Amino acid sequence: MSTPTSIVRTVRLHDSRPPLTVPTMSNEIDQHPRVRLNSRWIEIDGAPGIPVTGELHFSRIPSERWEETLRVMVASGLTSVSTYLFWIHHEPERGEISFEGDLDIARFIETAERVGVDVVLRIGPWCHGEVRNGGHPDWVIAAAPAARTNDPDYLALAAGWYAAVAEQVARFCGPDGRVIGIQIENELYDQPDHIATLKQLARDVGLSAPLWTATGWGGALLPAHEVFPLYSGYADGFWAGQGSTWDDSFRDHFRFTHEWDDPGVGGDFREEGAEIVVRAIDPEFPPATCELGGGMATAYHRRPIARGRDIAALANVKIGNGSAWQGFYMFAGGINPADHLQETHATGYPNDLPRFDYDFQAPIGASGRPGASLGLLRDHNAFLSAFGSRLADMYSSLPDDAPVDIHDRESLRWAVRTDGHSGFLFINTHQPHEPLSGSSGVRFRIDLAGEQVTVPDRAIDIPSGLIARWPLRLELAGTRIEWATASVAGVVGGKIPTIVLRAHDGIPARIQLTTGARVISGGEEFIAGEPFDLEPGQSLLVDDALRVLTVDKRQAERLWYLGDDLIDSADAVWREPGGLVLRAEQPPTAHRWNGDRFEPLEVTTSSAPGIQPVDLISLRTAGDPPTRYGEFMGRSSAPSDAQIDELAAVWRVAALDSGAHSPGDRVELVIEWEGDVAQLRRDGVPIRDRFWDGLPWRIDVTHIDPAAELTLHVVPLTAGSEIDLDAEARARVERGGRLCAIHEVTRVVSARWTGTPR
């Protein structure tokens, strides 16, 4: 029963979407049997859906890891993978173009075909991705100073690049191809004619896709009808100015809104003080994203941490806002394929980036290891997989008292996405840096199909930090959940399907089923009437037609939705033609849902994985660093190799070759360290580097010659160093005054484990 002080939150459902229309794209031009577009949603295999795309840069990942990485991405709920083709990676010298080895885009797409995942190609010619010159080879800059315009010299070079790309990938385009999207250029704001010209050049050489896209943020002017505008959203950004606070453009992504433009991303390429006109979405296309921050890179001057809950909250808000397509950048991190290919102050870019590292704190790290955010995003993506066909035609409604001011941290942030009959209630009280307040004594009332649905039946307190999506009159397998105060995750098939609900810390998980439903729980049977509590681990059988499994948030982040299989595993697990495969350095503990309970999954391996400490031999102590090595545009510059040689503490890595490993194993160095900049050198030459942000450093050393001399070089960081750090990292510096240490190095060998076939 509601308390006298309770507040009933209401919303007027209002479909503010443009009229349903059908663009020529994917309908009259570039038709595709599996992908079709209208002004409200993307149709997949003949039905509305919400595709989920993850960014992976194939040229930054060893080709031997492509298939496993793609399979883990699919196991994490992705339906497509997007990738840049960095021109400078393939043709650093004019006329010497390569698509061999780790640059083999055709073999990458063939791998995607084998895995069963679609591909979005981002073909540039200018891509960025923190690559030098935005991906333009140096010789292009020299030969065509008016690049990124319709300058004839530049267009001739661009046409040649597109022709080379088409020679590799055109056979994967067209009605039967895995290429479902092609992005033209990137973050180009004021050249719509140029984007249209580039699209025609691409079509002229045989490239085609049902979806032609362009980045629409930053007030971009795009050619009408030619490209599908896609948007972004990051929790924080390395590109912000030195000493700046958390920018409003980041705050904006943690409130429910129907505005999609983002004036912050790419702002480091604009002249200071340049006005950005925030534009409304093009009514020809649905709102969609290609760059929701799956993590964040570190620049030398600014090193933010993208925590898993930050990413999950942002993704949940975008779906509540009405997103028709979720694209995460990055989803799998990587390593630059050669030295000096990154953006730096020397290239005129405002930010110094690491020379090799592009881990991006991604859900799958640069060494192939699942990151801290992967479980949260699997939970999110499982929801979209199960209910995307319904969400696609559900409109978003915001309450009248929705916070308009992004600095308002007191008002409750919530929205409803519905078709007028059923839907989902989205709540967000999570925000990094500036926590949002909770709310006391809350109930929600939504008018659906002429009936008022009140959630829950008694007032509750909404805690700070909540990321929720609650069902409203959700019908499944002939039954109906009127409402629940636990978030909907995924659905697992089988003779009797199972829906997974995620309980929230601090909120009683309650459910209201249709009155009269027959419920069996723990061997006891009752008839549904009043709402009742759910407990994590509890399984309900409703009308012999639907299982309702409740899990806590910790178990939710361990679940893998693999078709009819639901696997509880802290280690990565995916499906291959021969069955289930896991990767772990120790015998994994995994369980499979049998439709009633979790049973142990038997796993075997023919390898000998494990963890071993690595000895270090100190060769030199560190010198005293300056507060700044230099600056450009007001931002601190990274130390040069000469400065690193002068100041870094140096250790030799001993006995890296101890212990054998088998084909299919992965060998990583895991380094717990503190300092400013670190390098791993092989025989004196830098091969990996890292800017310290407080996180461990994982390096794939599977194929590094064990006979080579490996040394670790760490430059000190002091309290006076002019570096913007995450608050936790900054506190460590302030406590220590001067950081320069390697606390532990371990050699981790992970193996493939095969699950017992069904």
Side-chain angles (χ1 to χ4, degrees):
M1 180 177 293
S2 175
T3 64
T5 58
S6 68
I7 301 173
V8 178
R9 310 281 178 152
T10 62
V11 61
R12 292 181 299 164
L13 300 183
H14 176 59
D15 188 353
S16 59
R17 297 173 298 176
L20 180 62
T21 58
V22 178
T24 58
M25 182 185 297
S26 81
N27 293 287
E28 299 176 25
I29 301 174
D30 294 325
Q31 294 180 358
H32 195 284
R34 291 188 297 106
V35 179
R36 186 170 173 267
L37 179 69
N38 66 40
S39 61
R40 292 184 175 178
W41 64 76
I42 298 169
E43 190 176 283
I44 305 169
D45 292 326
I50 296 184
V52 183
T53 302
E55 188 89 4
L56 174 159
H57 297 156
F58 72 97
S59 58
R60 281 171 158 161
I61 296 178
S63 54
E64 67 177 32
R65 284 192 2 225
W66 287 346
E67 181 163 343
E68 180 176 317
T69 304
L70 289 173
R71 290 194 183 278
V72 174
M73 291 171 78
V74 170
S76 301
L78 270 67
T79 61
S80 53
V81 58
S82 58
T83 189
Y84 279 131
L85 282 96
F86 296 114
W87 193 353
I88 196 172
H89 286 187
H90 297 274
E91 195 178 9
E93 301 296 331
R94 189 168 189 172
E96 298 179 12
I97 194 164
S98 174
F99 290 96
E100 302 297 322
D102 296 344
L103 302 177
D104 192 342
I105 180 61
R107 185 153 64 95
F108 176 76
I109 300 177
E110 287 172 350
T111 305
E113 282 189 323
R114 186 164 59 252
V115 171
V117 64
D118 289 327
V119 177
V120 176
L121 296 176
R122 306 175 85 182
I123 63 174
W126 194 92
C127 297
H128 207 227
E130 288 64 71
V131 173
R132 189 172 86 229
N133 307 326
H136 280 160
D138 295 343
W139 59 265
V140 170
I141 303 298
R148 307 184 74 189
T149 71
N150 279 344
D151 170 69
D153 290 339
Y154 177 67
L155 291 180
L157 297 178
W161 166 241
Y162 281 178
V165 171
E167 187 175 345
Q168 302 296 317
V169 308
R171 67 183 185 273
F172 304 106
C173 299
D176 300 321
R178 275 291 170 186
V179 175
I180 63 162
I182 296 176
Q183 179 181 304
I184 298 295
E185 248 280 348
N186 190 64
E187 295 181 347
L188 188 61
Y189 306 103
D190 57 355
Q191 298 284 327
D193 291 344
H194 179 54
I195 290 175
T197 300
L198 288 175
K199 178 182 174 182
Q200 188 58 53
L201 290 179
R203 294 182 62 84
D204 288 345
V205 295
L207 295 173
S208 66
L211 306 177
W212 290 85
T213 74
T215 54
W217 57 77
L221 291 168
L222 300 177
H225 316 301
E226 296 291 340
V227 287
F228 179 2
L230 301 181
Y231 297 95
S232 62
Y234 288 89
D236 206 337
F238 70 82
W239 51 81
Q242 182 129 29
S244 62
T245 59
W246 194 45
D247 190 77
D248 285 355
S249 65
F250 304 128
R251 290 184 182 88
D252 201 32
H253 299 301
F254 292 90
R255 69 182 180 113
F256 294 98
T257 177
H258 293 157
E259 298 174 0
W260 289 89
D261 201 348
D262 185 343
V265 180
D268 46 3
F269 277 101
R270 301 190 180 220
E271 294 183 6
E272 187 174 353
E275 182 182 3
I276 298 176
V277 178
V278 176
R279 303 185 190 281
I281 63 170
D282 185 337
E284 187 174 4
F285 302 99
T289 61
C290 66
E291 287 198 20
L292 295 181
M296 182 47 57
T298 56
Y300 181 76
H301 77 283
R302 183 177 173 85
R303 309 176 191 182
I305 300 294
R307 292 174 172 81
R309 290 184 60 77
D310 303 341
I311 300 165
L314 189 150
N316 195 56
V317 165
K318 295 298 181 182
I319 289 297
N321 291 347
S323 177
W325 186 359
Q326 295 277 88
F328 293 96
Y329 186 104
M330 299 287 293
F331 207 89
I335 298 294
N336 288 332
D339 201 356
H340 302 301
L341 287 176
Q342 91 289 11
E343 288 277 38
T344 66
H345 288 173
T347 66
Y349 186 58
N351 316 297
D352 263 344
L353 273 296
R355 286 156 61 170
F356 296 95
D357 181 68
Y358 204 69
D359 176 83
F360 214 85
Q361 306 168 40
I364 301 172
S367 69
R369 175 75 49 160
S373 63
L374 186 61
L376 286 157
L377 291 184
R378 282 200 313 276
D379 177 82
H380 174 81
N381 296 340
F383 167 65
L384 298 182
S385 176
F387 299 104
S389 59
R390 307 186 197 193
L391 280 163
D393 196 23
M394 287 183 174
Y395 54 89
S396 169
S397 296
L398 310 180
D400 290 339
D401 61 352
V404 175
D405 186 345
I406 55 177
H407 296 278
D408 175 3
R409 292 190 279 158
E410 303 297 323
S411 300
L412 183 60
R413 301 183 179 193
W414 65 287
V416 172
R417 192 160 172 180
T418 176
D419 58 8
H421 298 275
S422 63
F424 300 92
L425 170 64
F426 295 87
I427 307 172
N428 181 56
T429 61
H430 176 85
Q431 182 173 272
H433 305 302
E434 298 175 353
L436 301 174
S437 298
S439 295
S440 301
V442 175
R443 301 171 77 195
F444 301 91
R445 184 169 296 151
I446 302 98
D447 191 345
L448 293 173
E451 298 181 12
Q452 289 188 340
V453 178
T454 303
V455 184
D457 55 318
R458 54 196 182 200
I460 59 173
D461 294 339
I462 302 292
S464 176
L466 180 66
I467 305 166
R469 47 180 185 268
W470 294 348
L472 301 171
R473 303 189 75 194
L474 178 62
E475 296 191 9
L476 190 65
T479 69
R480 190 163 79 189
I481 298 172
E482 296 291 343
W483 54 261
T485 54
S487 283
V488 181
V491 174
V492 184
K495 185 176 180 181
I496 298 178
T498 299
I499 183 172
V500 180
L501 299 180
R502 171 170 48 86
H504 303 283
D505 291 348
I507 293 182
R510 289 177 65 77
I511 191 170
Q512 172 71 71
L513 298 171
T514 301
T515 300
R518 187 168 64 91
V519 182
I520 299 175
S521 175
E524 298 184 2
E525 180 177 328
F526 62 93
I527 303 300
E530 296 296 317
F532 57 93
D533 290 335
L534 299 170
E535 295 295 332
Q538 180 182 12
S539 170
L540 309 176
L541 177 60
V542 182
D543 288 336
D544 294 323
L546 178 67
R547 286 276 182 188
V548 179
L549 171 64
T550 305
V551 299
D552 61 22
K553 69 176 185 179
R554 286 153 290 278
Q555 185 176 19
E557 293 178 32
R558 297 195 308 265
L559 294 180
W560 299 77
Y561 296 80
L562 306 175
D564 290 344
D565 277 326
L566 179 63
I567 306 297
D568 184 334
S569 171
D571 298 298
V573 55
W574 63 92
R575 185 178 294 284
E576 292 187 2
L580 296 177
V581 179
L582 299 88
R583 177 169 293 281
E585 59 268 18
Q586 297 175 329
T589 301
H591 295 79
R592 175 192 280 133
W593 176 251
N594 69 3
D596 180 51
R597 63 187 180 278
F598 283 100
E599 295 180 335
L601 182 69
E602 298 296 328
V603 294
T604 58
T605 184
S606 59
S607 186
I611 303 173
Q612 295 177 324
V614 174
D615 292 330
L616 298 178
I617 301 169
S618 176
L619 300 181
R620 193 181 71 193
T621 59
D624 294 323
T627 58
R628 247 185 181 179
Y629 297 95
E631 63 90 18
F632 178 65
M633 297 180 66
R635 305 175 189 208
S636 294
S637 301
S640 65
D641 275 349
Q643 291 167 321
I644 293 174
D645 288 341
E646 178 186 354
L647 297 170
V650 182
W651 293 264
R652 186 168 71 242
V653 180
L656 181 60
D657 59 339
S658 62
H661 63 276
S662 304
D665 288 354
R666 184 172 307 145
V667 185
E668 298 170 275
L669 283 185
V670 182
I671 304 169
E672 298 284 351
W673 69 290
E674 293 177 323
D676 184 13
V677 175
Q679 289 183 346
L680 176 68
R681 297 186 183 182
R682 178 178 57 200
D683 297 329
V685 178
I687 59 171
R688 298 288 186 271
D689 65 337
R690 185 84 163 189
F691 297 161
W692 185 73
D693 53 14
L695 301 176
W697 184 17
R698 307 188 77 106
I699 308 173
D700 184 351
V701 295
T702 306
H703 297 296
I704 290 181
D705 182 0
E709 181 181 73
L710 296 181
T711 53
L712 283 166
H713 303 245
V714 177
V715 176
L717 180 68
T718 71
S721 298
E722 296 189 39
I723 304 294
D724 291 353
L725 293 168
D726 177 77
E728 291 183 11
R730 173 53 66 184
R732 288 168 65 176
V733 180
E734 298 296 336
R735 286 195 301 269
R738 183 179 190 270
L739 302 182
C740 186
I742 297 179
H743 298 294
E744 183 181 39
V745 179
T746 52
R747 177 181 183 268
V748 178
V749 180
S750 60
R752 289 166 50 93
W753 302 73
T754 303
T756 301
R758 298 192 67 178

